[in-house]
Amino acid sequence: MHHENPKTNKNLKGRFAPTPSGRLHFGSLTCALASYLDVKAKNGSWIIRLDDLDSPRVQRGASENIIRTLEYFNLISDEPIRRQSDNLKLYEEIFGDLIHKNLCYKCECSRKRLQSLNNVYDYRCRNKKLSHEKTSVRLKISETNNVQNFIDNIQGNQETAHITSDFIIRRKDQIFAYEYAVVIDDYVQNITSVLRGADLISSTFNQLILHKSLNFNPPLYSHIPVVENKDGEKMSKSKNALMEFSKTKLSILYLALDWLGQNPPAELKNESNQIIIDWAKKNWCPKAIPQLLSKPITEKAQIL
């Protein structure tokens, strides 16, 4: 299910790209709502993409459940819903191009060895020219493609806290890495604006390095705080899923807007999802979103 608005600003496009590893929880719904409002407030278009490339994490039925939940909350894709698993041929083509340009190499280092290096790779395999297949593949980082900082539209200037080292773009199990796939997806789908959780800020540096390596124009990145439960833990997909949303009198969208610092008026508390979204589109204020990396959930939303 999707729809298009004739007044859509074709120069602005955002996306919500969940991994179908479980049902939506309050944190993921809040992220979907924020990404939707961030482009819809300016008449941009918004798409849903299912990041289902990491097949060991994909849960049966989760994709359908996520789409159904988003539709319940009137968060509807402006284009047919895409899946990363449909793009394997494209990933392979671009990967072949990187190999041809000598921008990547095979690496046989174990996870245990990387942990002993505090996950900062020491280039051990860069000049080995390994030929066997049970290897991961790393992107070479040099002065021409390195990225040390970027401007986050919510969090402000971000600088790397550590040395950026050659990172994996295809894993030993031959699955392309999240950072590699998501950069290609965003480029081919003309995504201009990416709003997501602050736990992905550090990954943004690698994504920007890939954009540079592939001569792609990167989108504008914005990161909202990660929703934590009252014990300070990130909301997981296994608990606090939005199973009971139809039983609560208080709107979950209202709670999400409140958590995002949007100050929704009290009379919206019991309104329909569409009325709340219409208000939020007219009154969306990204500057009101807290400049925090994480923020506890409200007690009211905790019980859902």
Side-chain angles (χ1 to χ4, degrees):
M1 182 179 174
H2 69 278
H3 56 61
E4 266 190 277
N5 182 337
K7 293 180 184 173
T8 296
N9 173 1
K10 291 202 163 112
N11 298 319
L12 185 63
K13 191 176 188 184
R15 48 78 163 173
F16 177 58
T19 299
S21 56
R23 291 189 289 262
L24 286 188
H25 52 76
F26 181 78
S28 48
L29 179 76
T30 301
C31 207
L33 176 65
S35 70
Y36 177 90
L37 293 171
D38 205 48
V39 292
K40 286 293 183 179
K42 299 173 194 153
N43 286 324
S45 61
W46 182 79
I47 65 164
I48 298 167
R49 182 177 72 228
L50 296 162
D51 283 4
D52 63 348
L53 200 60
D54 193 352
S55 46
R57 286 183 65 206
V58 172
Q59 216 181 75
R60 198 174 168 187
S63 295
E64 294 74 20
N65 193 284
I66 287 168
I67 294 161
R68 234 183 0 255
T69 305
L70 291 170
E71 285 181 354
Y72 174 86
F73 288 107
N74 287 49
L75 299 173
I76 295 165
S77 184
D78 288 316
E79 293 177 11
I81 291 166
R82 317 244 189 146
R83 291 174 186 267
Q84 278 187 325
S85 52
D86 297 332
N87 290 342
L88 291 174
K89 197 176 170 192
L90 180 63
Y91 302 149
E92 288 286 357
E93 275 174 28
I94 292 172
F95 183 66
D97 198 39
L98 288 172
I99 291 169
H100 180 69
K101 290 176 178 170
N102 196 28
L103 289 173
C104 55
Y105 61 92
K106 291 182 174 184
C107 171
E108 61 186 357
C109 294
S110 66
R111 192 173 285 181
K112 194 175 176 183
R113 181 174 186 273
L114 293 172
Q115 284 170 342
S116 73
L117 299 167
N118 291 324
N119 293 317
V120 179
Y121 189 60
D122 61 357
Y123 311 104
R124 182 187 181 191
C125 297
R126 202 191 242 215
N127 299 310
K128 276 191 177 180
K129 300 200 173 8
L130 299 166
S131 58
H132 62 90
E133 287 307 310
K134 286 201 170 173
T135 58
S136 54
V137 176
R138 290 182 180 273
L139 184 79
K140 288 182 186 174
I141 296 181
S142 63
E143 284 182 16
T144 55
N145 68 355
N146 204 357
V147 174
Q148 295 293 321
N149 72 296
F150 72 94
I151 304 297
D152 186 291
N153 203 38
I154 291 169
Q155 304 293 339
N157 187 48
Q158 299 297 309
E159 293 184 19
T160 45
H162 59 81
I163 300 160
T164 309
S165 57
D166 298 351
F167 59 89
I168 291 170
I169 57 173
R170 193 171 73 180
R171 304 179 339 198
K172 278 188 182 174
D173 59 7
Q174 306 302 297
I175 292 176
F176 285 109
Y178 162 78
E179 290 163 339
Y180 173 78
V182 81
V183 161
I184 293 168
D185 296 333
D186 286 344
Y187 177 74
V188 298
Q189 290 162 18
N190 300 313
I191 301 299
T192 61
S193 174
V194 170
L195 185 149
R196 56 194 181 185
D199 52 332
L200 286 167
I201 285 180
S202 58
S203 175
T204 307
F205 291 98
N206 287 357
Q207 289 173 51
L208 287 166
I209 287 165
L210 271 162
H211 278 289
K212 235 178 172 179
S213 305
L214 297 165
N215 292 320
F216 291 169
N217 281 330
L220 176 68
Y221 288 99
S222 309
H223 292 85
I224 65 170
V226 172
V227 179
E228 291 181 340
N229 65 20
K230 62 173 191 267
D231 300 319
E233 301 164 331
K234 183 182 170 185
M235 298 285 281
S236 72
K237 289 183 179 169
S238 55
K239 53 185 178 175
N240 294 308
L242 295 166
M243 287 294 286
E244 302 297 311
F245 55 73
S246 57
K247 293 181 186 173
T248 176
K249 287 182 182 171
L250 198 64
S251 168
I252 289 181
L253 289 182
Y254 178 89
L255 292 172
L257 287 171
D258 188 51
W259 186 91
L260 287 162
Q262 300 303 299
N263 202 18
E267 57 267 26
L268 278 182
K269 280 181 186 178
N270 303 312
E271 287 291 359
S272 69
N273 292 331
Q274 193 55 57
I275 286 173
I276 293 171
I277 282 180
D278 288 343
W279 178 90
K281 275 198 277 196
K282 285 180 196 146
N283 295 279
W284 178 243
C285 181
K287 285 182 178 163
I289 296 170
Q291 277 189 308
L292 302 167
L293 296 185
S294 61
K295 182 186 172 188
I297 199 169
T298 62
E299 283 300 316
K300 288 171 191 164
Q302 184 69 39
I303 58 168
L304 297 175

